[in-house]
């Protein structure tokens, strides 16, 4: 039975003293989403991730944003990664690898995904100072890499993201999220030629 016939879904909830996060996703969706993290720019990025990956997302999160948005942003990425890993199951029948290069006006970003079971992140190219920009009044530029790391480690992805060029802080982040979305879409997509087969010489991912 192929992965698409199993209709790959997951729901994960995580409650700590810092945040409460609930994520439901459907890998075989159409890119519909309901996102509320109480961090507006992050909502925007996760909505773009859903739309361009075709992964349906329902994310509800809140936390101690009176201190900083860091905990809520990080914990949401952790739970999203956990849900993605659960929905992928044993990864039979997927393409496994995906890559995309996406422009947003002056910004251009590339992402490469391997659903490898071995978490690893390389994130390069952002201009010095990007990490200090406060985007939308809440989201600090440094959180971009942290989201990618938290997501990839918990989903067990090998992820390479490179900003090739960019000037506007908003565009820089959004191009990277959209590149990740398109690469992820390709990587988790069922491959008819690999139906029922784990795409690895080891027989497991």
């Amino acid at each position: 039975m192929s992965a698409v016939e199993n209709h790959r879904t997951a729901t994960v909830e995580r409650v700590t003293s810092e945040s409460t996060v609930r994520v439901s996703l459907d890998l075989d969706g159409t890119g519909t989403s309901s996102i509320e993290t109480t961090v507006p720019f992050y909502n925007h990025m996760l909505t773009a991730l859903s739309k361009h990956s075709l992964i349906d997302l329902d994310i509800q999160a809140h936390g101690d944003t009176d201190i900083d948005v860091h905990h809520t942003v990080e914990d949401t990425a952790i739970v999203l990664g956990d849900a993605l890993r659960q929905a992928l199951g044993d990864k039979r029948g997927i393409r496994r690898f995906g890559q995309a290069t996406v422009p947003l006006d002056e910004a251009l970003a590339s992402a490469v995904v391997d659903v490898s079971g071995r978490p690893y992140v390389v994130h390069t190219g952002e201009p010095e100072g990007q990490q200090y920009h406060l985007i939308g009044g809440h989201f600090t530029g440094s959180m971009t890499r942290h989201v990618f790391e938290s997501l990839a480690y918990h989903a067990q992805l090998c992820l390479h993201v490179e900003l090739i060029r960019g000037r506007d802080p908003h565009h820089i982040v959004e191009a990277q999220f959209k590149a990740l979305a398109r690469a992820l879409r390709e990587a988790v997509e069922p491959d008819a030629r690999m139906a029922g087969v784990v795409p690895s010489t080891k027989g497991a991912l």
Side-chain angles (χ1 to χ4, degrees):
M1 182 176 290
S2 70
V4 70
E5 289 172 336
N6 289 327
H7 207 66
R8 303 163 300 165
T9 62
T11 296
V12 178
E13 187 169 7
R14 183 176 188 262
V15 179
T16 72
S17 61
E18 297 173 339
S19 69
T20 298
V21 182
R22 185 179 187 276
V23 173
S24 294
L25 63 77
D26 184 347
L27 295 181
D28 304 308
T30 58
T32 61
S33 62
S34 175
I35 313 286
E36 180 49 70
T37 67
T38 72
V39 182
F41 183 72
Y42 196 31
N43 293 347
H44 181 40
M45 293 302 97
L46 292 174
T47 299
L49 182 68
S50 173
K51 175 63 68 176
H52 296 289
S53 67
L54 296 183
I55 298 173
D56 290 349
L57 286 178
D58 185 341
I59 299 177
Q60 304 300 317
H62 62 86
D64 55 0
T65 53
D66 55 315
I67 298 173
D68 192 310
V69 304
H70 185 108
H71 297 146
T72 301
V73 171
E74 175 185 35
D75 292 351
T76 299
I78 286 171
V79 179
L80 178 56
D82 286 340
L84 182 59
R85 187 184 73 253
Q86 287 189 24
L88 282 165
D90 62 9
K91 303 164 190 168
R92 291 180 184 275
I94 66 169
R95 295 189 183 278
R96 176 178 169 179
F97 301 100
Q99 59 183 330
T101 301
V102 172
L104 178 57
D105 295 347
E106 88 297 343
L108 183 67
S110 170
V112 182
V113 171
D114 176 8
V115 186
S116 63
R118 298 184 309 279
Y120 202 92
V121 174
V122 176
H123 180 245
T124 61
E126 288 189 344
E128 180 58 33
Q130 171 70 15
Q131 67 268 37
Y132 305 121
H133 278 285
L134 192 61
I135 306 168
H138 301 86
F139 188 94
T140 307
S142 62
M143 291 306 301
T144 305
R145 176 179 298 185
H146 201 44
V147 168
F148 294 158
E149 289 172 340
S150 299
L151 172 63
Y153 292 160
H154 284 263
Q156 297 183 347
L157 307 176
C158 177
L159 172 63
H160 288 242
V161 179
E162 179 186 8
L163 180 76
I164 299 168
R165 65 182 63 93
R167 181 185 65 253
D168 181 270
H170 182 138
H171 292 171
I172 285 171
V173 179
E174 188 168 345
Q176 292 177 79
F177 268 86
K178 287 179 176 177
L180 170 60
R182 292 292 296 190
L184 195 58
R185 172 181 171 178
E186 182 178 341
V188 305
E189 188 176 47
D191 183 345
R193 297 176 66 188
M194 293 292 291
V197 178
V198 176
S200 170
T201 54
K202 296 188 294 292
L205 287 172

